[in-house]
Amino acid sequence: MSELFAAVDALVASRAPLPPAEERKRLRQAHGLTLDEVAAALKVRRATVSGWESLKKPTEPRGPEREAYARLLNQLAELYPAPAAAPDPVPSTFTGQPAPTKARTPSTGPASEAAAMAATENTQTPAPVATAPTAATRPARTTRTSSTSRRPGAKKAAPAGTPAGGTDPRFENGPLAVVDVDADGQVLAYCTGGLVLDVPAKSLPSLVDWTLNEAKLGQPKLAGPGKDADPLLVLTESALERYGLPVTLTDEERLAGRLPEGHKVVKQLARAEWKLTKRGLGPWARIYRPAKGSERSCVQLCIPSWHALDSRHWGHAAQLAPADLARLLGTYASRVMTPRGSTAVTGLELMTALHPPTRASEPDTDGRRHPEHNPGSLGKDPVDPAPCEAPDGHPVLADLPRFHVRGPAEKLFEEAYDWARPMTDAECTLRHLVGIDVNMAFAAGANGLVVGLGAPTHVKNPVFDPKLPGSWLVDLSHVDLSRVKVGKDKWVELDGSLLPSPFTPKGERPEGPAWYATPTVAYAVELGYEVQPIEAYVRYENGRYLDGWYNRLRDAYLATMADLGVHADMEPADFLAAMDGYKDRDPDLAIVVSAIKATVKGGLGKLRERPRGEGWRPGQPWRALSRPTWRPDIRAAVISRTRINLHRKIVKHAAFTGQYPIAILSDCVVYAAGGTSPLDFLPYRDGKPLPGGFKLGINPGLVKHEGTQDVLWGEEVRERFNAPELNLARYIKDGTVTDIDNGE
């Protein structure tokens, strides 16, 4: 009898009613399911499922597939009820203006993770700390509303809990959109918060017009005198094809970094009176018309298939689905800023956005305001570096003989550590090498740092002032690391042969006068030694220019790590457990973390950007020198302070424990230990770290576990490559040894 009942049930189910094709698609996408996933579950081909959802001529499933498909749709309908249709707008007469943008949104069911992770504010304050997701689930994809509700002017409410695109009504749809073409040929713009807009534009010039006039995309300025961020459009491969652009660049175009001026789309823009910047129509293009007063008309393009999103920093972002890419870039934009190019370019632009070079003056006698210097900024005009601060080939060094090699007494050389030493016999008896890494080390080095804002002043035989930023020619060879001060009046004896010098990147003791940035010289005084500078280039106009930059990037980093389950002020053991595999909890958010870190390092690197071809010859200026943010002295000061901060912790650790580092690479330090965890050698007492030493935690300046290898592994690698001082910090993370060159 049960078999008969089952047969009857199957017969009834085989004629089960199904919702319209558009509703089928809405339900699938609301749950974040792809056509391939549904096809695999129902054991049919992808094209079969696509046919069931076709808006033009849908097919109908039959037999057991229909029963299973109906069951799937019924369960999804319970989770994502259909939104109520919007009322018809009041008819109005035709005005000749473009039709209002049609908005497409997800259902009004539970808020998706994409919505939860989108930007919550676009204000001038540091980015808010969002709550961590409860589970690393796949973000729900955005869908269209039913055809009956997509009337001109109608806009559906986003799901409950979906954050707004921004507090400014001009940018209510968020800072950016990913433009894609769906299976039905409709152009869609995927925005932050799960919103999807219909795009009526048929060409790239009309897409730019639509973006500026209807899309309501952009981001409010980060500082009072600043400028609003231009809207960013990310074009997928299907969007490139729709608008007449190549999916990939040829080798010649890739080397040039742009399409040729004779390309048909470039001509279209010119006919429509749109202009391109000097970098042309490339991976990061800016399309604009000259500003009229304070009104800007500019749209930025990001083209992932042209390698706009460097995989070293953006991971697999270029392969993400449009909704997922909008979520990822929207999170970065809300917490850092709308990307302006590479992470390095964005890091530099963030400095300017937080400290604009000019501001409006007080009204004059006619009531007019004029641009004037904004105090605390670098101004709008570039300044020449001191000769010692200039890299080789700079115009200020044009009088030097050709092929002249500058030594330490002529050139400021503040760089990160790359140091290692052979292990002692006692260290070889231990079983493990444990690497610890300083979180956001260079950002922490910028925090509270006083840097020069104007041009340098040359001074002979100056009295050293640790509060005065600049470059100092001074002999520090007398500083002896075997006896140093670690407190106000406390001197300690150390084994100086096991410590790197804090004054050179290679850890070698200086042999005579050399140029140093202020933090380096100040550390020599802190260690208890007198200094007598021979000359200096100091900057009397100075300030804490990077504080706002640091705060915003710190908040972005901490908020994103919190979303991945790693919080500030965790107990050491809990922190190490939380860091274990944190990237796997949400790989897309892990990309945001990587991009934030790259923004820090890249932005500082841009302060001393070198020539990039373009026919440059030594002694001639290159393009970067025209920027007021080309400031190698600021970069040197940050690196100097970062290296000194690390050395100070190493000295405190050695004085308290008698343990010395084996290798240091930038912000990674390797120690020999009896166990595999940092807790096996870091001196915690009752859960409290050594004051002034290393402390486990996620905040910038604190440390995390970088990796652990066996001592035998280290000795075997060094012996294999006949390199007793091979820098093991370079390979401690996974133990893979590559790129050995001359023992380094």
Side-chain angles (χ1 to χ4, degrees), residues 10-21:
L11 185 63
V12 173
S14 68
R15 302 293 189 271
L18 298 176

PDB file of all heavy atoms in Angstrom, residues 10-21:
ATOM      1  N   ALA A  10       3.994  10.891  -6.240  1.00  0.00           N
ATOM      2  CA  ALA A  10       4.893  11.262  -7.330  1.00  0.00           C
ATOM      3  C   ALA A  10       4.118  11.750  -8.535  1.00  0.00           C
ATOM      4  O   ALA A  10       4.532  12.686  -9.231  1.00  0.00           O
ATOM      5  CB  ALA A  10       5.780  10.070  -7.704  1.00  0.00           C
ATOM      6  N   LEU A  11       2.932  11.103  -8.802  1.00  0.00           N
ATOM      7  CA  LEU A  11       2.115  11.528  -9.935  1.00  0.00           C
ATOM      8  C   LEU A  11       1.586  12.937  -9.735  1.00  0.00           C
ATOM      9  O   LEU A  11       1.593  13.762 -10.649  1.00  0.00           O
ATOM     10  CB  LEU A  11       0.953  10.539 -10.117  1.00  0.00           C
ATOM     11  CG  LEU A  11       0.061  10.768 -11.340  1.00  0.00           C
ATOM     12  CD1 LEU A  11       0.866  10.608 -12.621  1.00  0.00           C
ATOM     13  CD2 LEU A  11      -1.124   9.798 -11.322  1.00  0.00           C
ATOM     14  N   VAL A  12       1.134  13.237  -8.514  1.00  0.00           N
ATOM     15  CA  VAL A  12       0.650  14.585  -8.219  1.00  0.00           C
ATOM     16  C   VAL A  12       1.788  15.600  -8.319  1.00  0.00           C
ATOM     17  O   VAL A  12       1.647  16.685  -8.886  1.00  0.00           O
ATOM     18  CB  VAL A  12      -0.001  14.630  -6.820  1.00  0.00           C
ATOM     19  CG1 VAL A  12      -0.360  16.061  -6.439  1.00  0.00           C
ATOM     20  CG2 VAL A  12      -1.241  13.754  -6.784  1.00  0.00           C
ATOM     21  N   ALA A  13       2.933  15.216  -7.748  1.00  0.00           N
ATOM     22  CA  ALA A  13       4.073  16.136  -7.755  1.00  0.00           C
ATOM     23  C   ALA A  13       4.562  16.403  -9.167  1.00  0.00           C
ATOM     24  O   ALA A  13       5.092  17.474  -9.466  1.00  0.00           O
ATOM     25  CB  ALA A  13       5.200  15.576  -6.897  1.00  0.00           C
ATOM     26  N   SER A  14       4.417  15.433 -10.051  1.00  0.00           N
ATOM     27  CA  SER A  14       4.896  15.625 -11.421  1.00  0.00           C
ATOM     28  C   SER A  14       4.121  16.700 -12.149  1.00  0.00           C
ATOM     29  O   SER A  14       4.529  17.152 -13.211  1.00  0.00           O
ATOM     30  CB  SER A  14       4.810  14.309 -12.191  1.00  0.00           C
ATOM     31  OG  SER A  14       3.453  13.939 -12.388  1.00  0.00           O
ATOM     32  N   ARG A  15       2.952  17.091 -11.621  1.00  0.00           N
ATOM     33  CA  ARG A  15       2.164  18.191 -12.191  1.00  0.00           C
ATOM     34  C   ARG A  15       2.132  19.391 -11.245  1.00  0.00           C
ATOM     35  O   ARG A  15       1.259  20.242 -11.327  1.00  0.00           O
ATOM     36  CB  ARG A  15       0.724  17.726 -12.461  1.00  0.00           C
ATOM     37  CG  ARG A  15       0.610  16.532 -13.391  1.00  0.00           C
ATOM     38  CD  ARG A  15       1.047  16.872 -14.823  1.00  0.00           C
ATOM     39  NE  ARG A  15       0.739  15.790 -15.732  1.00  0.00           N
ATOM     40  CZ  ARG A  15       1.560  14.789 -15.984  1.00  0.00           C
ATOM     41  NH1 ARG A  15       2.722  14.727 -15.349  1.00  0.00           N
ATOM     42  NH2 ARG A  15       1.229  13.838 -16.845  1.00  0.00           N
ATOM     43  N   ALA A  16       3.093  19.418 -10.309  1.00  0.00           N
ATOM     44  CA  ALA A  16       3.109  20.483  -9.301  1.00  0.00           C
ATOM     45  C   ALA A  16       3.203  21.845  -9.981  1.00  0.00           C
ATOM     46  O   ALA A  16       3.984  22.030 -10.922  1.00  0.00           O
ATOM     47  CB  ALA A  16       4.283  20.295  -8.354  1.00  0.00           C
ATOM     48  N   PRO A  17       2.414  22.807  -9.516  1.00  0.00           N
ATOM     49  CA  PRO A  17       2.480  24.152 -10.109  1.00  0.00           C
ATOM     50  C   PRO A  17       3.813  24.812  -9.766  1.00  0.00           C
ATOM     51  O   PRO A  17       4.353  24.645  -8.671  1.00  0.00           O
ATOM     52  CB  PRO A  17       1.307  24.885  -9.448  1.00  0.00           C
ATOM     53  CG  PRO A  17       1.081  24.159  -8.156  1.00  0.00           C
ATOM     54  CD  PRO A  17       1.422  22.722  -8.427  1.00  0.00           C
ATOM     55  N   LEU A  18       4.340  25.572 -10.707  1.00  0.00           N
ATOM     56  CA  LEU A  18       5.602  26.279 -10.524  1.00  0.00           C
ATOM     57  C   LEU A  18       5.384  27.777 -10.715  1.00  0.00           C
ATOM     58  O   LEU A  18       4.515  28.191 -11.494  1.00  0.00           O
ATOM     59  CB  LEU A  18       6.656  25.789 -11.533  1.00  0.00           C
ATOM     60  CG  LEU A  18       7.051  24.317 -11.451  1.00  0.00           C
ATOM     61  CD1 LEU A  18       8.013  23.978 -12.578  1.00  0.00           C
ATOM     62  CD2 LEU A  18       7.693  24.016 -10.107  1.00  0.00           C
ATOM     63  N   PRO A  19       6.138  28.601 -10.001  1.00  0.00           N
ATOM     64  CA  PRO A  19       6.007  30.044 -10.184  1.00  0.00           C
ATOM     65  C   PRO A  19       6.544  30.465 -11.546  1.00  0.00           C
ATOM     66  O   PRO A  19       7.219  29.689 -12.229  1.00  0.00           O
ATOM     67  CB  PRO A  19       6.866  30.609  -9.046  1.00  0.00           C
ATOM     68  CG  PRO A  19       7.874  29.550  -8.766  1.00  0.00           C
ATOM     69  CD  PRO A  19       7.157  28.251  -9.002  1.00  0.00           C
ATOM     70  N   PRO A  20       6.271  31.699 -11.973  1.00  0.00           N
ATOM     71  CA  PRO A  20       6.798  32.183 -13.255  1.00  0.00           C
ATOM     72  C   PRO A  20       8.324  32.116 -13.292  1.00  0.00           C
ATOM     73  O   PRO A  20       8.992  32.054 -12.252  1.00  0.00           O
ATOM     74  CB  PRO A  20       6.306  33.635 -13.322  1.00  0.00           C
ATOM     75  CG  PRO A  20       5.149  33.694 -12.386  1.00  0.00           C
ATOM     76  CD  PRO A  20       5.436  32.701 -11.297  1.00  0.00           C
ATOM     77  N   ALA A  21       8.851  32.160 -14.495  1.00  0.00           N
ATOM     78  CA  ALA A  21      10.297  32.003 -14.678  1.00  0.00           C
ATOM     79  C   ALA A  21      11.090  33.063 -13.918  1.00  0.00           C
ATOM     80  O   ALA A  21      12.142  32.770 -13.336  1.00  0.00           O
ATOM     81  CB  ALA A  21      10.638  32.052 -16.167  1.00  0.00           C
TER      82      ALA A  21
END
